[in-house]
Amino acid sequence: MQSNNNYNELEESNSLNLRAEIEKYFLFWRWFVISAILGVAIAFIYLRYTSPSFSASASIMIKDNKKSGISAELAAFEDLGIIGGGSANNTDNEIEILKSRKIIERVVDSLNLNISYYIQGRILEHELYKNSPIKFHFTKRNLLYKEKDTTIIISFKDLNTYDLKNQDNEFVSNYKFGEEVESKLGFFKIYRDDNFSYDVKEYFVKIRNKNKIIDSYRESIFIEPVNKNSSVLTLSLKGSVKKKIVDVLDELVKQYNIDAIKDKNQISIKTKIFIDERLSTISKDLAAIDDNVKKYKSKNGFTGASKEVELVLESGSLNTKLMIDTNAKLKISEWIQEKLDKNNEVLPVGLGFEDANISFAIENYNKLVLRRNQLLPSAGIRNPNIIDLNSSISSLKSSLIQSLTNLQTSLKFKLQQLKNEQKKINSKISSIPKTERGFIDIAREQEIFAGLYSYLLKKKEETDISLAVTVPNAKIIDKAYGSNKPVFPKKNIVYFAAIFLGLLIPFLIVYIKNLLDTKIHSRRDIEILTNIPFLGDITHSETKEKIVISKDSRSSSSEAFRLIRTNLGFMMSNSNEKLGKTIFITSTTSGEGKSFISINLAAALSLSKKKVLLIGLDLRAPKVTEYLGIAERKGITNFIMNEETSINDVKFSIPEIENLDIIASGVIPPNPAELLLMDRVKKLFEDVKQEYDYIIVDTAPVNLVTDTLLVSKYADMFLYVVRANYLDKRMLEVPQTLYREKKLPNMAIVLNDTDIKKSYGYGYRYGYGYFEKEKKTWYRKLF
């Protein structure tokens, strides 16, 4: 537990070396360049073959009927009472109406958007909006195929004929332009424009389901107010054909205004129909009464009434007029109440109610009904707005019915008073001569119908004026406009993103690779994780020679061994000059190059005219003779086990290296640890120290067996070999613990198999028992 804490403390105590981090990525600069170039190439192809998308926008102002007042041209009709104050329009509701299926369906039908014409480009299809030389027209649509999307191909043969193909490009038949074609879709005709060019001979006609077109536009058309409290709306739409999206927005505003005018006129039309029906009936009755007056005068020779009779008639006429007016209002109120009891339809207005509250209530009732009818097709009956409107309509209807009931009671009372007055007038008429009295009866009836007819004619004229002066609901501030610059794809952003991703991808790969990589690669890794003295590093040898150092060698590996030889001199300067210096070489595990370091370090020391002895003390896996490529012979094992065997009997030399003697490990014993505890080992080191300047001892790995620790007391110095790109960083805890506990005297680390160019991709692979060159794959060569 303590060792783990030390390991973490060492790792955390070292600050980030920015330059070293940058160098980790700079080593792979070729990958960054290739990836960036590839990203730019992909971006270029994407921009080259992607259909650009344009944006169009328009702005309108929803007229506020309550706050805007009336225009100057309508002020002349204000005294007729046909132009009321109204109520303010709800902007959110108007947005819903603009995006309703009803309005968008009219746009689709008006612009014929469910039928599109295309030509084939190099890769993508291009739509010919308003520029197609052919026109497709259904004469009769088959309802079974009305909901299906389909494509037909028109292939020109000459100016008069064409080949018809299905969407699988299979030939169907040959037809003349304008000839009716019968198919599963129904009956249709293909027309040709006189300005047809033979540059393109094949055209695609795509017929799409209208409901899908409507849904797509409902989703793609964006409508929003310019600010929270404004009635100005901005409409925007994106598409691949600029002219098409401009036309869609303009047509949308046009159809909205047509629908608004139609809704506003519903009340006036309803009133006009009612008045026309009454005028037709009263006109016939009045014509019949006029004939009766004429016949009466002719039959009785009546030329005119006396002054007394005229006074009576004038009094009766006034009373009769009041009765007519009162009775008419009563009938109208009863008719209005009957309409309210049946259903939620708009009611006629301007019918002359003296009670302003009733007129105002009818006006508000009509507006609520119109608003609900506008929202219902797109919102549905369960929409909160519809529920609120239904509640308001129901409440207003109850209030209006109560007001009409009260009005009817008042009118009936007034009518009864007028009837009583009429009885008094009739008593006066009874005293008038019979001939004049008969005329009075007829004239009174004529006056009643004439007054009612005149009243209805006035109301009819007012209603016609109302229909004529209805204005649109939306004022166009800016017609739809689309920029020639596409909004998608944006070249600068695409290229920037391509370069960014091109650099990011290899960065992430290298980052993850480094994150997952726990191997030691450089001296810095060792210095971060340990405080053991660093003696030097041995670069990777590019040759197959086992001994890389000689008198004439100038390779990086040979120079590295010369540098280690020099550093050894500084570290062992305090040693006894009379006795030979013993340098033990060990490692954490097998395969880190102990034998390679031992042999070449011995060779480097021998070149300095020193007498050197190399001892193979790894009794479990002897490698010195195998590494040098010579036959197995007697060695340390034989010397220890046989007291009659002398050092001279087991040592030998090789012609490649002068001043170097070698003692091999010998046969592998069954009990290496016990063998190393024998006194013969002590005698061996005492004797060789007297004869040699340097004794290089190749020992066993310390993390695998205890052999090295048993003989560590005979060492003047320990070289701890760490192989780059091989040993796990976490395994450095082993030498750090040995150094901290001073189990290996005068310890220093040698980093083996480094690369002078970079810290990755070594050419030699060491194993505990073999030494071979690793083949590089194509992608490793890039690194």
Side-chain angles (χ1 to χ4, degrees), residues 40-109:
V40 172
I42 294 173
F44 175 79
I45 296 172
Y46 171 78
L47 292 171
R48 176 68 179 81
Y49 295 105
T50 299
S51 296
S53 179
F54 300 90
S55 177
S57 62
S59 58
I60 61 174
M61 182 178 70
I62 304 299
K63 294 181 179 178
D64 194 333
N65 295 327
K66 185 174 182 179
K67 297 179 181 179
S68 61
I70 57 175
S71 60
E73 56 270 19
L74 301 182
F77 306 105
E78 186 177 8
D79 60 335
L80 296 177
I82 60 174
I83 303 175
S87 59
N89 290 317
N90 188 311
T91 304
D92 292 337
N93 288 342
E94 300 306 317
I95 291 174
E96 289 299 320
I97 294 170
L98 275 164
K99 295 186 68 173
S100 64
R101 294 185 63 85
K102 176 180 68 175
I103 300 297
I104 295 180
E105 182 177 10
R106 292 174 185 173
V107 174
V108 172
D109 291 338

Side-chain angles (χ1 to χ4, degrees), residues 27 51 119 134 145 167 191 237 315 356 386 488 515 520 552 595 604 609 668 687 722 760 771:
L27 290 171
S51 296
I119 59 172
I134 62 171
Y145 293 89
Q167 58 188 1
Y191 298 97
L237 178 63
S315 176
I386 298 296
F488 176 85
L515 190 66
I520 296 170
D552 301 325
S595 300
K609 303 301 181 181
I668 300 175
D687 293 344
V722 174
Y760 305 88
F771 176 84

Side-chain angles (χ1 to χ4, degrees), residues 506-525:
F507 175 85
L508 291 176
I509 293 174
V510 174
Y511 175 78
I512 294 173
K513 179 179 180 295
N514 291 335
L515 190 66
L516 300 178
D517 184 12
T518 60
K519 304 299 182 182
I520 296 170
H521 299 291
S522 64
R523 172 178 178 174
R524 185 171 180 274
D525 294 332

Side-chain angles (χ1 to χ4, degrees), residues 112 114-117 132-141 150-152 154 162 164 181 183 185-192 204-207:
N112 206 23
N114 60 320
I115 299 177
S116 304
Y117 306 92
S132 175
I134 62 171
K135 297 297 178 185
F136 179 94
H137 174 68
F138 268 117
T139 56
K140 185 178 180 182
R141 186 78 184 265
T150 188
T151 300
I152 62 173
I154 308 300
Y162 65 91
L164 180 66
V181 179
S183 69
L185 302 175
F187 294 89
F188 61 85
K189 293 181 180 180
I190 302 292
Y191 298 97
R192 177 184 60 80
F204 298 83
V205 181
K206 294 189 176 181
I207 305 161

